[in-house]
Amino acid sequence: MKTLSLAQHRKTARKFSHDPISIDDILHCIEVAREAPSGMNAQPWRFLLITDAHQKKTLRMLCEEGERELHQKVKGALAEWLQKKGISWEKPFLEDAPALILVFSSLHAPYRIQSTWLAIGYLLLALEERGISTVTYTPPHPETLRTHLEVPDEFKLEVILPLGHSVDEKRKEVRKPLKELIHVGRWGNHL
Amino acid sequence: MKTLSLAQHRKTARKFSHDPISIDDILHCIEVAREAPSGMNAQPWRFLLITDAHQKKTLRMLCEEGERELHQKVKGALAEWLQKKGISWEKPFLEDAPALILVFSSLHAPYRIQSTWLAIGYLLLALEERGISTVTYTPPHPETLRTHLEVPDEFKLEVILPLGHSVDEKRKEVRKPLKELIHVGRWGNHL
């Protein structure tokens, strides 16, 4: 499938069936992500794959503790958006999805955030190609998870990607028109 | 072509022929990038397309001013890497490439860097699919360019992507083995 079809069909999933997914498919997608360019070719990305039910449950619990605090404090546009989307502090997808990939970046690498998220872009298209759904979930206290998982402090947790088959019925969110996003020659000069 | 082939074949180009490229192809690739997910669906990305020779020359000059300063100061691992790669303060690709896309992110959006670079990942695979080469060039003084281009200060310049046909003979840089990048179940437990 062409990249445009993959990108258009892909939509964020926050509800997953318990159907298993192939570990080979997951490794294949990480193989795609590994090919991304990176600042000074430092390849700052690392992937921690978790499938164990007990581990997923503990991660869910740790994330929900942070989420509860966050949801109590949140105000304004973010609070409205969360309510509109029906997003609460509860994160069952961390337990329901058959697998989680935790993506870390090395603090020693230049442009580590940029490079790692560029690779996450590759990863999402590869997952779509293999029929695997996900959401780029950024936990509120990534450091708590890192220390719990005994990951060296050279690495920062960038995102958790729960992987599985979507049973999320929500539609893909609407995108802005291209003419609003593209300026030609000078700012404000639209297509 | 599958995402793995696109990702594997894609390599960074720092030398471009003067052969023109299709504007429709560029717009198509931005259409792919637009489909990326983003924090709070804020779609923080904006694209400024520049093809005018005089404008490219001015941007090159502004970038090279910053690069000259940077190269005088640079030390250690970065200095070694630049020398090994033959990368100097000169950036002829900003003038030689038939088109430039400047990608901006909105400071008002949550996770603006993460979302924008995820979309840049989509963009790179789409460009490869259309046979267009690029390099993710991050200029040393993005604010100087933003003000020169009269872009509102809500937006931050993330990257310049020179677009064209590569005449760069350098090989693709070697990637780390998968088993070094992937941890299974717990950190340090490799495939």
Side-chain angles (χ1 to χ4, degrees):
Chain A
M1 212 189 276
K2 300 279 189 189
T3 56
L4 184 61
S5 305
L6 291 175
Q8 283 176 336
H9 286 134
R10 187 202 168 274
K11 60 173 192 156
T12 291
R14 292 188 181 83
K15 289 181 187 170
F16 297 89
S17 77
H18 291 277
D19 298 343
I21 55 171
S22 143
I23 296 294
D24 280 349
D25 278 347
I26 300 175
L27 299 180
H28 169 85
C29 296
I30 294 176
E31 207 175 338
V32 174
R34 169 179 74 149
E35 295 294 332
S38 56
M40 270 179 72
N41 191 33
Q43 306 169 58
W45 39 72
R46 295 294 182 279
F47 305 90
L48 175 56
L49 176 60
I50 287 177
T51 54
D52 177 75
H54 179 71
Q55 268 191 299
K56 289 190 290 171
K57 193 180 185 127
T58 308
L59 287 180
R60 174 182 175 178
M61 200 194 65
L62 289 170
C63 289
E64 288 184 342
E65 276 175 19
E67 291 285 352
R68 241 189 248 115
E69 277 176 49
L70 184 77
H71 278 256
Q72 276 164 5
K73 279 188 281 190
V74 85
K75 281 177 197 168
L78 178 56
E80 273 173 44
W81 184 81
L82 290 169
Q83 196 174 10
K84 197 186 86 187
K85 296 284 294 172
I87 297 175
S88 79
W89 58 269
E90 291 179 285
K91 301 298 167 197
F93 54 71
L94 295 174
E95 218 178 324
D96 294 340
L100 308 175
I101 298 178
L102 282 70
V103 185
F104 294 82
S105 69
S106 167
L107 296 171
H108 298 171
Y111 296 105
R112 65 178 181 85
I113 299 175
Q114 290 84 345
S115 304
T116 302
W117 283 84
L118 194 159
I120 294 168
Y122 275 42
L123 189 53
L124 293 195
L125 290 179
L127 288 168
E128 180 65 22
E129 194 175 47
R130 292 282 167 127
I132 299 172
S133 294
T134 193
V135 53
T136 54
Y137 171 65
T138 45
H141 297 143
E143 275 300 281
T144 308
L145 301 187
R146 186 191 62 73
T147 50
H148 166 76
L149 291 162
E150 299 179 2
V151 172
D153 61 8
E154 177 195 334
F155 296 96
K156 166 119 201 309
L157 176 60
E158 294 289 337
V159 75
I160 301 180
L161 300 172
L163 307 182
H165 297 296
S166 174
V167 289
D168 196 331
E169 287 175 0
K170 279 186 192 143
R171 289 205 197 149
K172 175 159 176 149
E173 297 195 74
V174 174
R175 295 298 187 266
K176 293 185 204 283
L178 272 183
K179 63 175 188 178
E180 207 176 292
L181 301 176
I182 304 178
H183 303 254
V184 183
R186 64 186 303 276
W187 197 267
N189 188 25
H190 292 291
L191 287 171
Chain B
M1 212 188 277
K2 300 280 187 186
T3 55
L4 184 61
S5 305
L6 291 174
Q8 283 176 336
H9 287 134
R10 187 201 166 275
K11 58 174 193 156
T12 291
R14 291 188 180 82
K15 291 180 185 170
F16 297 89
S17 78
H18 290 276
D19 298 341
I21 55 171
S22 144
I23 296 293
D24 280 349
D25 278 346
I26 300 176
L27 299 180
H28 168 86
C29 295
I30 295 176
E31 208 175 337
V32 175
R34 168 179 74 150
E35 295 294 332
S38 55
M40 268 178 75
N41 192 33
Q43 305 169 58
W45 40 70
R46 296 294 183 280
F47 305 91
L48 175 55
L49 176 60
I50 287 178
T51 54
D52 178 73
H54 178 72
Q55 268 192 298
K56 287 190 290 169
K57 195 182 184 122
T58 308
L59 287 180
R60 174 183 175 176
M61 199 194 65
L62 289 170
C63 289
E64 288 184 342
E65 276 175 19
E67 291 285 353
R68 242 190 247 115
E69 277 176 49
L70 184 76
H71 277 256
Q72 277 164 4
K73 277 187 282 187
V74 86
K75 282 177 196 167
L78 177 56
E80 274 174 44
W81 184 81
L82 291 168
Q83 195 174 9
K84 196 187 86 185
K85 296 284 294 173
I87 298 175
S88 79
W89 58 269
E90 290 179 287
K91 301 298 165 197
F93 55 70
L94 295 173
E95 219 179 325
D96 294 340
L100 308 175
I101 298 178
L102 283 71
V103 185
F104 294 83
S105 69
S106 167
L107 296 172
H108 297 171
Y111 296 105
R112 64 179 180 87
I113 299 175
Q114 289 84 345
S115 305
T116 302
W117 283 84
L118 194 159
I120 293 168
Y122 275 41
L123 188 53
L124 293 195
L125 290 180
L127 288 167
E128 179 66 21
E129 194 175 47
R130 292 283 167 126
I132 298 172
S133 293
T134 193
V135 53
T136 53
Y137 172 65
T138 44
H141 298 143
E143 275 300 282
T144 308
L145 302 187
R146 186 192 61 74
T147 50
H148 166 76
L149 291 162
E150 298 179 2
V151 172
D153 62 8
E154 178 195 334
F155 296 97
K156 166 120 203 306
L157 177 59
E158 295 289 339
V159 76
I160 301 180
L161 300 172
L163 306 182
H165 296 295
S166 174
V167 289
D168 196 330
E169 288 175 0
K170 280 187 192 141
R171 290 206 195 148
K172 176 161 177 146
E173 298 196 73
V174 174
R175 294 298 186 268
K176 293 185 205 284
L178 273 183
K179 63 175 186 175
E180 208 176 292
L181 301 176
I182 304 178
H183 303 253
V184 183
R186 65 186 303 275
W187 197 267
N189 188 24
H190 293 290
L191 285 172

